[in-house]
Amino acid sequence: MVRRRAEHNECQISTLEEVSLHQQDIEKIEHIDKWCRDLRILYLQNNLIPKIENVGRLKKLQYLNLALNNIEVIENLEGCESLQKLDLTVNFVGRLSSVESLQSNIHLTELFLVGNPCTEFEGYRQYVVASLPQLKFLDGTEISRSERIRAAQGLKEVKRNVREQEREYLKRRAREKEEARDEKGNKERKPGSDGRWYTDINNTDPGSEENKENQERKEGTENPELDEEQQESEFWHTPCSFTPESRLEAHRHLEEKRKAKEKVNEKKPKTPRTLITADGRVMNVNEPKLDFSLTEDEENNTVVLDLAVYRHMDTSLMDVDVQPSYARVTVKGKIFQIVLPAEVRPDSSTAQRSQTTGHLVLTMPRAEGEIKVTKAVPRPPRKTQTSSPEDEKR
């Protein structure tokens, strides 16, 4: 994943200075401090990370974005000596006293804690401002000199209040964790098809013939699709606390739905697009939706196709096939095909990339003599050499 995100650095991760790993469903930070020691900017927002870890060796790291994760404690950042900006927006930091672990990050000037439980504590801003004298901005608001002086006054009382609120919050979190464990245990017990347990007080023997008949009758009248819709509605409309556990549960629920949908789609393969009809008629196709121009150069007796492929796309991702009556270009697996206005000579055709625009230009000499109108017959593709701007220079 890191190597894929390092395309701008020629996929070299050892010298990588910036990497974006947001929205990747990451549940643990690992390896990054060993592979990318030169990192200055690290984006990890909108993942499922519960703990700050394995970043202490990133001595050059200046900006760390961990917004929209499941982090509850600020920790393990003492080794990030160059850290200037830390974004923990919309996490679950309730242990406000953990901000004191940032006192050793002497270059830290910006801190974002908006949307965390600790921001609701009375005296929150005063506590953070007094605890971190190196800060210049807290939650996007500049810290003035007068505010810093006021924050230092009465700090002892503010600390005491914060500790009390912190203890109350941690007790509440302990209850939430216990409820989440109980709920998880109940779901693992395999209840009935609608998620509930039933007891037939008139027939408690599960092995009796009458009970089996009742069960078969129930199964015959159930509507699986309706039941699934009901479960989905209950899942999203049942009130619950916004906790790391509920966020993780919602993510896994969506992931299961996505996998189920993919499984259904796998069973129904797409009908391949018709490129040439049964009677030999060639179809015009533009799957990549690219702009193009098709012209006839009377002076040079050629047909020229200018295809506006993406300027920075690697030439190796393109495949060209020229036939006497049509030209086909495959761009990252998507087919562009066009019927030519005149019969051409495939063996004499050329394909080049423009050094200025990156466009793919096909130059196809017309066939000599009278042009015969014939129906196209599918034949093995005849490859045309495609050259890149670098090849042109060589």
Side-chain angles (χ1 to χ4, degrees), residues 225-334:
E225 291 184 6
L226 185 62
D227 188 62
E228 187 178 345
E229 288 179 9
Q230 184 181 354
Q231 287 184 15
E232 186 75 5
S233 178
E234 284 181 2
F235 181 85
W236 293 111
H237 290 91
T238 301
C240 69
S241 302
F242 182 59
T243 63
E245 293 78 22
S246 65
R247 187 169 181 264
L248 193 59
E249 184 185 8
H251 164 75
R252 287 178 177 161
H253 178 80
L254 290 172
E255 191 67 13
E256 286 175 7
K257 296 287 288 183
R258 183 185 65 80
K259 287 180 179 178
K261 189 175 181 181
E262 286 179 356
K263 195 172 182 181
V264 170
N265 292 338
E266 283 176 6
K267 294 178 182 177
K268 299 177 182 177
K270 276 187 177 180
T271 305
R273 182 184 286 274
T274 302
L275 299 176
I276 301 176
T277 62
D279 60 354
R281 187 162 56 91
V282 179
M283 308 296 288
N284 288 325
V285 178
N286 190 357
E287 287 182 345
K289 298 180 180 178
L290 298 172
D291 293 332
F292 68 94
S293 65
L294 184 64
T295 57
E296 295 183 68
D297 187 346
E298 299 294 342
E299 185 177 344
N300 296 311
N301 197 31
T302 59
V303 177
V304 180
L305 172 64
D306 187 317
L307 191 60
V309 295
Y310 314 112
R311 182 174 183 176
H312 301 290
M313 180 179 289
D314 197 305
T315 308
S316 63
L317 298 174
M318 304 175 205
D319 188 35
V320 179
D321 176 23
V322 176
Q323 298 293 344
S325 60
Y326 68 91
R328 182 184 300 165
V329 180
T330 305
V331 181
K332 291 182 71 174
K334 295 184 178 181

Side-chain angles (χ1 to χ4, degrees), residues 26 54 69 95 113 221 284 329 356:
I26 298 170
N54 298 322
N69 276 285
R95 194 172 294 176
L113 288 170
T221 56
N284 288 325
V329 180
T356 53

Side-chain angles (χ1 to χ4, degrees), residues 321-326 343-350 363-365 367 379 382-384:
D321 176 23
V322 176
Q323 298 293 344
S325 60
Y326 68 91
E343 191 171 331
V344 300
R345 298 198 302 254
D347 293 338
S348 303
S349 300
T350 60
T363 305
M364 300 165 282
R379 64 182 70 185
R382 183 176 297 158
K383 307 297 180 184
T384 301

Side-chain angles (χ1 to χ4, degrees), residues 55-194:
V55 292
R57 297 182 184 180
L58 302 177
K59 305 296 182 183
K60 299 179 182 179
L61 188 65
Q62 298 175 359
Y63 177 29
L64 176 59
N65 192 330
L66 282 164
L68 292 162
N69 276 285
N70 293 347
I71 294 164
E72 299 191 65
V73 180
I74 302 172
E75 57 187 343
N76 301 324
L77 291 171
E78 294 84 357
C80 301
E81 300 170 355
S82 304
L83 190 63
Q84 298 176 13
K85 183 177 179 180
L86 175 61
D87 193 341
L88 290 168
T89 302
V90 191
N91 273 274
F92 298 91
V93 178
R95 194 172 294 176
L96 184 56
S97 58
S98 63
V99 298
E100 294 182 9
S101 66
L102 298 172
Q103 289 175 347
S104 58
N105 301 98
I106 57 175
H107 299 291
L108 184 67
T109 57
E110 292 185 71
L111 175 63
F112 290 87
L113 288 170
V114 177
N116 283 273
C118 64
T119 59
E120 298 177 6
F121 291 1
E122 185 181 346
Y124 150 74
R125 188 174 176 88
Q126 183 180 352
Y127 180 87
V128 176
V129 170
S131 299
L132 302 175
Q134 74 272 35
L135 275 189
K136 293 182 180 178
F137 293 88
L138 175 59
D139 297 333
T141 304
E142 186 176 5
I143 301 170
S144 63
R145 184 180 177 185
S146 58
E147 183 184 7
R148 198 177 300 281
I149 293 170
R150 287 196 305 272
Q153 298 170 354
L155 180 59
K156 187 175 180 180
E157 182 65 20
V158 171
K159 277 189 174 183
R160 188 179 64 79
N161 290 336
V162 165
R163 301 283 182 180
E164 287 179 4
Q165 294 173 84
E166 198 174 88
R167 280 193 293 270
E168 289 298 318
Y169 172 78
L170 293 176
K171 286 179 184 177
R172 188 166 69 253
R173 274 295 295 134
R175 289 195 299 271
E176 289 172 350
K177 288 179 182 178
E178 188 176 351
E179 288 172 3
R181 280 194 299 268
D182 291 343
E183 188 176 348
K184 185 179 179 182
N186 290 336
K187 286 183 178 179
E188 290 174 352
R189 287 173 55 203
K190 295 183 180 179
S193 60
D194 61 352

Side-chain angles (χ1 to χ4, degrees), residues 1-6 19-30 32 42-49 65-69 247-248 251 255 258-259:
M1 185 193 298
V2 175
R3 196 174 294 282
R4 284 201 309 270
R5 296 286 179 158
V19 65
S20 179
L21 299 172
H22 64 285
Q23 290 184 306
Q24 296 296 313
D25 301 333
I26 298 170
E27 297 190 27
K28 184 178 181 181
I29 305 174
E30 51 187 350
I32 198 83
L42 177 57
Y43 296 101
L44 283 166
Q45 69 268 31
N46 208 352
N47 283 293
L48 300 162
I49 300 167
N65 192 330
L66 282 164
L68 292 162
N69 276 285
R247 187 169 181 264
L248 193 59
H251 164 75
E255 191 67 13
R258 183 185 65 80
K259 287 180 179 178

